Amino acid sequence: MDSARKSKKHQILETYFGSDFPEDLAEDFTKQPVKLLKGHNKAVREMAYSEKHKILVSCGFDFEVFVWNPYLEEKIMKLDGHEYPLVGVNCLS
């Protein structure tokens, strides 16, 4: 594709992935959120999904971890008591 005719989206993707990025990645780039999970008061740093347990775990700069049922858009539990912003979360099988 001619660089003058490339969309801003394609230019951004090429910056990160090079010129041979998968075309379906460009389509995913513009998708709108399907669900909104409300709970964190500050930015979410990371999310992890457990295929085995069908849960979503999120952590962020509000010092809290939330465990979600993503199919019903509700919190299962809140894990609080952390003294610093959380920078990562992972689900083990």
Side-chain angles (χ1 to χ4, degrees):
M1 186 181 284
D2 184 341
S3 62
R5 294 177 32 206
K6 290 181 184 176
S7 69
K8 184 71 171 172
K9 171 177 50 177
H10 277 80
Q11 292 172 4
I12 292 170
L13 290 170
E14 281 186 0
T15 301
Y16 290 100
F17 300 105
S19 60
D20 58 344
F21 66 87
E23 279 302 312
D24 58 342
L25 184 62
E27 293 172 12
D28 287 345
F29 193 79
T30 59
K31 289 186 178 177
Q32 295 297 315
V34 176
K35 296 181 181 179
L36 180 63
L37 303 174
K38 295 183 181 179
H40 288 282
N41 295 320
K42 294 187 178 178
V44 172
R45 173 70 177 168
E46 189 170 42
M47 299 176 79
Y49 179 72
S50 170
E51 180 69 36
K52 179 179 178 182
H53 301 291
K54 307 291 190 232
I55 59 169
L56 183 67
V57 181
S58 63
C59 71
F61 294 104
D62 56 4
F63 308 173
E64 296 174 337
V65 175
F66 289 104
V67 181
W68 306 88
N69 178 339
Y71 303 101
L72 299 177
E73 300 180 36
E74 63 184 33
K75 289 180 274 201
I76 296 172
M77 69 173 58
K78 177 174 104 172
L79 306 172
D80 53 8
H82 299 91
E83 296 180 12
Y84 299 99
L86 301 162
V87 295
V89 65
N90 198 349
C91 293
L92 303 174
S93 7

